[in-house]
Amino acid sequence: MPTRLHAIEAGEPTLPPVVLLHGFGMVSGCLSRLIQALSEQRFVMAFDLPGHGGSLDHPLSGSARKCAQAVIAELDIRATGPLTLVGHSFGGAVAALLAIERPDLVTRLILLAPGGFGPDINAEILRQHASATTAEDFKSIVSVMSGPNSPAPESLIKSLVAMRKKSNQTKALIDLSSRFLKGDTQGVLPLEILTATGIPVDLVWGELDRIVPVVDGMLAPAKFRKTIIAGAGHMLPDEATAQVARIILKPAATA
């Protein structure tokens, strides 16, 4: 059973490091637009989280906390030093838990429509996403996850279809969804502990997010810097690639 996370790397290793964590039911390849936008100025590492894609059989699958522990182990092996950590959706919850457990690894935390900032969540569409297998399924699901003027990129749909062809992938996602979804709600992160780490946190939300409500971000601790992207839904790495990249590339004090 593999104990390393599958990764996509881009950019020169001498550049400042950025780690990207994808959302539930996605893979690192789903972040290709954002990886490309960052790689001229950052050394980018995008990991497949346990239970997903190239890390499907990683032993630390089954919860956001276990996923955070897997990323910590990977970063310790790589010894890249403190870095900017970016998490989208479920990956945002993983990133927050990582920062709480190992604040020494993180100089800055950027959370894109993260899970865990409140109990409300579109559990129905996420369960559909867990069990989806065809391009038609994914186009329908991604249309709900996106803003009205953001058609699903063909590259994203192809990545999702290819991912689900792996044996036991659908079962792994259904099992994972049953752990972080509590009926029609989700677990909530200990935001007061995250605040106490002192790590600068940027929250970025799409104005029209139909998966996790934007109000959760606006009610987050006052110390977190908050940005709402007009017209965007939940799929910020694709819908608002340029805006998200600008936030990541700016220094923490001026982002």
Side-chain angles (χ1 to χ4, degrees):
M1 183 175 289
T3 58
R4 298 294 300 274
L5 294 175
H6 174 77
I8 293 175
E9 297 180 359
E12 292 296 327
T14 54
L15 293 170
V18 173
V19 164
L20 305 180
L21 303 180
H22 61 78
F24 170 70
M26 305 286 179
V27 285
S28 53
C30 295
L31 299 171
S32 58
R33 288 185 173 186
L34 187 56
I35 292 168
Q36 183 177 6
L38 296 172
S39 60
E40 287 191 4
Q41 299 182 56
R42 297 290 186 270
F43 175 55
V44 183
M45 294 169 281
F47 297 127
D48 283 8
L49 292 172
H52 295 74
S55 304
L56 174 60
D57 296 323
H58 193 284
L60 287 174
S61 61
S63 71
R65 189 170 300 278
K66 286 184 177 181
C67 289
Q69 292 168 353
V71 179
I72 288 170
E74 185 70 29
L75 295 179
D76 281 341
I77 291 170
R78 289 170 174 262
T80 54
L83 44 75
T84 297
L85 182 60
V86 183
H88 173 232
S89 194
F90 177 78
V94 174
L97 290 168
L98 186 158
I100 289 170
E101 186 165 338
R102 287 288 302 277
D104 59 297
L105 293 175
V106 184
T107 57
R108 186 176 173 211
L109 188 61
I110 300 172
L111 305 177
L112 311 175
F117 270 63
D120 294 335
I121 191 168
N122 190 336
E124 178 182 357
I125 199 69
L126 291 179
R127 290 192 178 100
Q128 291 178 26
H129 184 47
S131 59
T133 57
T134 69
E136 290 71 24
D137 291 339
F138 290 122
K139 287 177 182 178
S140 176
I141 290 164
V142 173
S143 71
V144 175
M145 291 183 171
S146 305
N149 298 314
S150 302
E154 196 61 34
S155 59
L156 173 62
I157 301 301
K158 287 182 178 178
S159 292
L160 293 172
V161 171
M163 171 194 182
R164 303 311 171 85
K165 289 181 178 178
K166 295 178 73 72
S167 178
N168 293 323
Q169 178 63 86
T170 300
K171 180 182 183 301
L173 294 178
I174 292 172
D175 289 347
L176 177 56
S177 67
S178 71
R179 292 176 181 270
F180 75 83
L181 295 174
K182 313 297 183 184
D184 290 331
T185 63
Q186 63 175 329
V188 178
L189 295 166
L191 298 182
E192 69 284 354
I193 299 177
L194 180 59
T195 303
T197 65
I199 296 170
V201 177
D202 283 87
L203 281 180
V204 187
W205 233 281
E207 174 193 23
L208 305 178
D209 196 318
R210 290 181 282 181
I211 306 302
V212 285
V214 66
V215 67
D216 287 352
M218 299 309 101
L219 293 176
K223 289 182 68 174
F224 297 175
R225 185 179 287 109
K226 301 161 187 174
T227 302
I228 298 177
I229 297 182
H234 188 68
M235 299 296 287
L236 294 174
D238 281 306
E239 295 184 76
T241 308
Q243 297 97 312
V244 169
R246 282 196 294 270
I247 291 169
I248 295 170
L249 292 171
K250 286 183 179 179
T254 60

